[in-house]
Amino acid sequence: MTRKDIPLPQPQMEVLFTPGDIQSAIARLAQEIRQDYRDKNPVLLGVLKGCFVFMSDLVRALDMPLEIEFMSVSSYGPGRTESSGEIRVVQGLRGTIRDRHVLVVEDIVDTGITVDFVLRYLRRRRPASVRVCALFDKAARHRVDVPIDYLGFSIPDRFVVGYGLDFDERFRYLPGLYCLKEDD
Ligand code: IMP
């Protein structure tokens, strides 16, 4: 499917990445991760909610022994498109990650505050290693220095929806990545 063939969910949206673009990036990420984590039985730690679509495509593309965990943090209030900067753990880790190789799976890094918080939270639990895999990154918006070891796409400073990402809980179901047109 090309960008032109994708139906627009709302007229003021434009397609940033097609489902095909996203799947190609995931295949590339999976190849890199498989090389580094073969025989390590890593724990893939998804940061909810936005990661759920990416996580499920990534683990199937990886096709190797691994375990999954989720945690849920919140930094946006309803209707906001900016991080409040104050992170709350909504649901922490259930199992132990001590001496395990942990790969944090993030849908998108914006200011970097969430990933930074999650990395600190995990390191206190003494894993053997922690790395970060993010599908999208708005590098121009980082407010803290975050290491992204596996990155799908660098994207411009625009608010995006689809492929698990929402605006006020809407549009997570869209198979591609969309942003609002700038002239609207
Ligand atoms: P950060 O803490 O500013 O890096 O924000 C990370 C979280 O904010 C992500 O996990 C998303 O849930 C959310 N987020 C950041 N940018 C966007 C966006 O453009 N669309 C939807 N959600 C976003």
Side-chain angles (χ1 to χ4, degrees), residues 10-79:
Q10 309 261 315
Q12 76 277 23
M13 283 187 183
E14 65 187 68
V15 181
L16 216 51
F17 299 112
T18 67
D21 295 334
I22 295 174
Q23 294 307 321
S24 306
I26 292 175
R28 170 178 55 79
L29 290 174
Q31 200 177 2
E32 291 172 27
I33 294 167
R34 214 181 297 118
Q35 268 169 16
D36 296 347
Y37 286 89
R38 198 192 308 276
D39 304 325
K40 289 191 172 156
N41 188 30
V43 178
L44 267 64
L45 191 264
V47 184
L48 291 169
K49 296 179 189 173
C51 77
F52 78 106
V53 179
F54 177 39
M55 181 75 142
S56 61
D57 280 344
L58 182 65
V59 296
R60 285 176 292 182
L62 278 170
D63 190 26
M64 70 175 196
L66 54 84
E67 293 175 24
I68 62 161
E69 288 286 344
F70 290 99
M71 62 182 285
S72 174
V73 298
S74 121
S75 63
Y76 286 19

Side-chain angles (χ1 to χ4, degrees), residues 115-156:
V115 171
D116 184 60
F117 177 90
V118 168
L119 288 175
R120 287 169 200 270
Y121 174 96
L122 295 174
R123 286 188 185 122
R124 285 199 296 274
R125 286 160 178 79
R126 311 260 192 94
S129 70
V130 192
R131 285 186 185 171
V132 176
C133 173
L135 186 55
F136 305 112
D137 178 38
K138 295 188 212 170
R141 297 215 359 121
H142 287 191
R143 275 162 46 193
V144 289
D145 210 14
V146 283
I148 302 180
D149 303 280
Y150 307 94
L151 175 63
F153 301 96
S154 253
I155 65 167

